[in-house]
Amino acid sequence: MSAITDRLRDLVAEVTTFEEDWEDKLRAALPTYDPCREGFPVDSQDEVRYFELCDDRAAEARDQLQKTTSGIEKVIREFTPQPF
């Protein structure tokens, strides 16, 4: 059971790291970025770049989702008893 827990914990850590890395990228690329800002998270001069980065993030998120889904499916296959 510990192996299952460890593998799933690793998958969660990868997703968390992905989110943290993207927050860092947004903050570095957009000086006015503030996710807690009321309304829109950047000033008007950063809007175009913000949307470009959001497109990049969405593409990477799709890849991350596929990788995570595959990882979960692999854990299920490896740790589910197979009928004889």
Side-chain angles (χ1 to χ4, degrees):
M1 186 64 131
S2 177
I4 295 171
T5 303
D6 291 343
R7 298 271 299 280
L8 293 174
R9 188 175 293 128
D10 289 345
L11 290 168
V12 170
E14 288 177 18
V15 171
T16 301
T17 300
F18 172 83
E19 289 299 324
E20 290 170 350
D21 288 350
W22 261 103
E23 279 299 310
D24 292 345
K25 288 177 188 178
L26 290 170
R27 289 180 198 286
L30 304 166
T32 65
Y33 176 72
D34 179 0
C36 298
R37 177 187 294 187
E38 187 174 323
F40 200 68
V42 295
D43 288 347
S44 59
Q45 75 267 16
D46 288 332
E47 281 185 35
V48 171
R49 183 68 182 130
Y50 175 74
F51 285 116
E52 291 170 347
L53 289 168
C54 286
D55 285 345
D56 293 345
R57 182 180 185 170
E60 286 187 32
R62 284 188 297 272
D63 293 344
Q64 182 67 42
L65 177 61
Q66 179 60 41
K67 181 179 175 184
T68 302
T69 301
S70 295
I72 292 169
E73 290 170 345
K74 185 176 180 182
V75 169
I76 291 168
R77 280 192 308 275
E78 290 177 9
F79 294 101
T80 301
Q82 300 298 317
F84 295 100

